[in-house]
Amino acid sequence: MKSLPFIDLVIVIAYLVGMVAVGIYFSRKNTSADQFTKASGSIPGWAIGISIYATFLSSNTFLGVPGKAFGSNWNSFVFSLSMPFAAWIATKYFIPFYRNSGAVSAYTHLEHRFGAWARTYAVICFLLTQLARMGSIFFGIALSLQALTGYPMSTIMIVVGICIVLYTVMGGMEAVIWTEVVQGVIKTVGALVILYLVVVGVDGGMSKIIEVGKVDDKFSLGTFAPDFTQASFWVVLFYGFFMNLNNFGMDQNYVQRYHTTSSIKEAASSVWLCVYLYLPVSLIFFLLGSCLYAYYQGHPELLQTIKMQVAAERLPGGTSAAITNLASTLTPADYGDKVMPHFMVNKVPVGLLGLIIAAIMSAAMSTISSGMNASATVFSVDIYQKYIKSNLSPKESLRLLYIATTVFGLLGMVTGIAMIGVKSVLDVWWMLSGIFAGGMLGLFLLGIISKNTKNTEALTATIIGILVIIWMTFSSQLPDEYASLRNPLHQNMIMVVGTLSIFLIGLILTRLKKQVPDQEEMVLDKE
């Protein structure tokens, strides 16, 4: 980071060293797998709440949300509005279920209900979701730090990834939670600082920002028409509800935290604290995107610089005329993710820049470290101990968790490198998470709600649901002569339709199977 002013460089290095030091400090406690995965149930609820909030507030939020608001409007904020509904269901039904079962894995229950295939299927979906999440977050942090430092995105991912692996492997879940508490505060302060600097930089202040936003419809939540072919209010609301229900209800990142508290009440309060924190703070990030839009409308020369940069990246080795011509065709949606890093490079004063970089890094590190720990736990409990070796000694269990945590961290890093060049990191994450999580949530709800559904009905419903998800995801690639077979719905509906397909088909098959024996009994009675 030699291009950074010295004081900012010191702040960034101090932050990285501090995170690793936290891991070293808590490594003394990690003498068992239970301590590594659940912190022995000794974490207070308020810390868990801030930890979950920090996990939600990833670099996808820190960079992707302002970029999304800059490029379009506040339509994606509806995702946040759906959180209280999902949180209510999770705290009323799911958390008591997990706490009473005592299983550290969120997917053990599926094997008890439907067999080993269901547990394995859910685990695979979860691990793929985590790789998509970690990859998109690695990409997000590299995107911003590249603008600040000039180093290649792949190099940035490797350096940051090594630091994350070190403190996560050494410190376990307790280190992850307490570092996330610190990171949650840093991220919030960083967002407020940037917001203040942008508002001050706009000639006319907040009144001008509101005026520009109203003219260009920047505060819209999307159309309220019942239209599911575009990102309408209802599409994002339904997607957000099912995605947040998946997060709070069966994502190992969150389920594992429920076991680190001392009671069901503490675990439930942690979820509500996350909601109370995330809703207003996510609104700040959308407001930040609108403020940046107004700022750059007043500085068209800076906007042209960004557009030329994006055009040059899309046409490597292209002529100046070709790059200029491409830049003239770009829309705000094409370069929204570049705007906040550009503002930080040019307008954040020395000293504060180091704090902002630390905030962005913490936004990535909290979510990635959680994903690494949760993925390692699921792999250890649901794959290794089930299919490879069940009777592990305490020392072997801990060593397995160390190795698995490292491997998943490296895989997330590789996934991030593979994403270099995508248009919108938030759109990529929403699409991938919807694909992988849809089938998992549908099966889980079927197992929890429908007590009469058995293995055959669940397996049949899951296979049909997977086929539906595959069709909705890839039918857009069909040639024009088969255009009528393409999925007409918005891609965010993949999560909704995939979940409902498995759940409802499972219920219908269960009902039909129940009617057949009833009819047979009636025939026997008549005879």
Side-chain angles (χ1 to χ4, degrees):
M1 297 186 177
K2 57 186 178 182
S3 61
L4 288 177
F6 178 74
I7 187 171
D8 295 309
L9 180 62
V10 170
I11 292 173
V12 173
I13 293 176
Y15 171 76
L16 290 174
V17 172
M19 292 299 100
V20 175
V22 169
I24 295 173
Y25 173 79
F26 284 108
S27 65
R28 299 174 300 174
K29 295 185 177 182
N30 281 323
T31 57
S32 67
D34 186 68
Q35 172 65 30
F36 187 89
T37 58
K38 298 192 296 184
S40 299
S42 59
I43 308 296
W46 65 266
I48 300 298
I50 297 177
S51 167
I52 297 175
Y53 157 73
T55 301
F56 263 98
L57 199 63
S58 66
S59 59
N60 288 348
T61 303
F62 210 99
L63 297 168
V65 167
K68 195 73 174 173
F70 180 95
S72 55
N73 50 36
W74 287 11
N75 173 244
S76 298
F77 179 63
V78 181
F79 179 93
S80 302
L81 296 178
S82 71
M83 287 182 69
F85 304 103
W88 183 83
I89 294 177
T91 54
K92 187 173 179 62
Y93 299 105
F94 288 0
I95 290 179
F97 170 79
Y98 286 123
R99 292 286 305 201
N100 292 329
S101 71
V104 68
S105 169
Y107 315 113
T108 304
H109 168 71
L110 289 174
E111 181 173 6
H112 296 158
R113 286 287 286 110
F114 303 128
W117 70 267
R119 181 180 181 179
T120 303
Y121 165 73
V123 166
I124 291 173
C125 287
F126 169 76
L127 293 178
L128 290 174
T129 303
Q130 289 309 297
L131 287 180
R133 172 183 285 169
M134 289 190 288
S136 65
I137 292 169
F138 267 118
F139 170 78
I141 187 175
L143 183 69
S144 59
L145 294 185
Q146 180 192 41
L148 296 170
T149 67
Y151 286 122
M153 293 176 67
S154 56
T155 302
I156 294 169
M157 292 187 208
I158 292 171
V159 172
V160 174
I162 290 173
C163 293
I164 297 174
V165 168
L166 284 175
Y167 87 75
T168 306
V169 170
M170 289 188 297
M173 178 54 77
E174 191 167 7
V176 168
I177 289 173
W178 286 114
T179 52
E180 284 179 341
V181 170
V182 176
Q183 290 163 347
V185 174
I186 292 175
K187 285 184 278 192
T188 306
V189 172
L192 292 173
V193 168
I194 297 176
L195 179 63
Y196 170 77
L197 293 174
V198 176
V199 173
V200 170
V202 175
D203 188 16
M206 187 57 71
S207 59
K208 180 65 175 179
I209 291 169
I210 295 175
E211 177 186 335
V212 173
K214 284 182 176 180
V215 170
D216 292 341
D217 200 27
K218 285 296 170 181
F219 304 122
S220 170
L221 295 178
T223 175
F224 284 86
D227 184 357
F228 298 98
T229 63
Q230 60 175 310
S232 64
F233 176 92
W234 303 109
V235 165
V236 180
L237 183 69
F238 289 141
Y239 170 81
F241 171 75
F242 281 101
M243 196 69 230
N244 283 314
L245 188 60
N246 177 78
N247 290 335
F248 289 134
M250 62 172 302
D251 190 315
Q252 182 67 25
N253 283 291
Y254 306 92
V255 173
Q256 200 164 329
R257 283 169 170 78
Y258 302 154
H259 291 286
T260 64
T261 61
S262 58
S263 66
I264 293 176
K265 184 178 180 181
E266 284 279 290
S269 66
S270 70
V271 170
W272 284 115
L273 177 59
C274 167
V275 173
Y276 298 148
L277 289 172
Y278 187 78
L279 266 174
V281 173
S282 66
L283 181 60
I284 289 174
F285 281 98
F286 280 98
L287 178 60
L288 177 56
S290 300
C291 292
L292 285 167
Y293 181 83
Y295 175 84
Y296 280 97
Q297 289 299 304
H299 297 82
E301 71 286 356
L302 298 178
L303 197 59
Q304 181 62 22
T305 301
I306 296 175
K307 293 166 72 173
M308 290 293 289
Q309 176 191 349
V310 173
E313 291 175 356
R314 295 191 180 183
L315 285 178
T319 64
S320 176
I323 292 174
T324 302
N325 183 60
L326 177 60
S328 65
T329 65
L330 296 177
T331 65
D334 294 316
Y335 50 83
D337 283 348
K338 298 285 187 180
V339 171
M340 196 159 92
H342 181 272
F343 180 85
M344 291 163 57
V345 169
N346 294 280
K347 298 300 176 182
V348 176
V350 174
L352 284 179
L353 183 57
L355 173 65
I356 301 302
I357 293 176
I360 295 174
M361 295 178 73
S362 69
M365 295 172 79
S366 60
T367 309
I368 293 173
S369 60
S370 297
M372 289 167 55
N373 190 287
S375 298
T377 300
V378 166
F379 175 81
S380 173
V381 174
D382 296 303
I383 296 180
Y384 192 90
Q385 294 184 50
K386 179 168 179 58
Y387 295 108
I388 301 175
K389 185 179 180 181
S390 58
N391 297 321
L392 293 177
S393 67
K395 186 175 181 180
E396 289 174 329
S397 296
L398 197 56
R399 184 168 62 247
L400 174 62
L401 288 168
Y402 287 156
I403 295 172
T405 302
T406 303
V407 170
F408 281 109
L410 296 177
L411 288 175
M413 190 190 311
V414 171
T415 305
I417 294 173
M419 288 183 177
I420 293 176
V422 301
K423 182 177 177 181
S424 171
V425 64
L426 192 63
D427 285 343
V428 169
W429 160 237
W430 278 19
M431 181 188 72
L432 293 176
S433 61
I435 293 171
F436 296 137
M440 182 168 53
L441 179 60
L443 180 61
F444 191 83
L445 291 175
L446 187 63
I448 290 287
I449 296 173
S450 180
K451 302 298 183 182
N452 294 323
T453 302
K454 305 300 181 185
N455 178 36
T456 304
E457 301 92 83
L459 179 59
T460 304
T462 300
I463 292 173
I464 295 174
I466 292 173
L467 292 176
V468 169
I469 292 172
I470 292 173
W471 167 71
M472 293 186 70
T473 303
F474 299 106
S475 62
S476 61
Q477 306 301 319
L478 292 172
D480 291 339
E481 56 264 32
Y482 301 106
S484 60
L485 299 178
R486 292 172 182 168
N487 167 33
L489 303 178
H490 189 269
Q491 67 178 23
N492 287 350
M493 290 299 293
I494 296 175
M495 171 73 175
V496 178
V497 176
T499 298
L500 292 177
S501 294
I502 294 178
F503 178 65
L504 295 178
I505 291 173
L507 290 181
I508 293 171
L509 292 176
T510 302
R511 181 69 176 173
L512 292 175
K513 186 176 181 179
K514 185 176 183 299
Q515 288 179 349
V516 171
D518 290 345
Q519 293 173 357
E520 292 177 351
E521 290 176 6
M522 291 175 62
V523 172
L524 291 174
D525 290 340
K526 290 179 181 180
E527 293 177 352

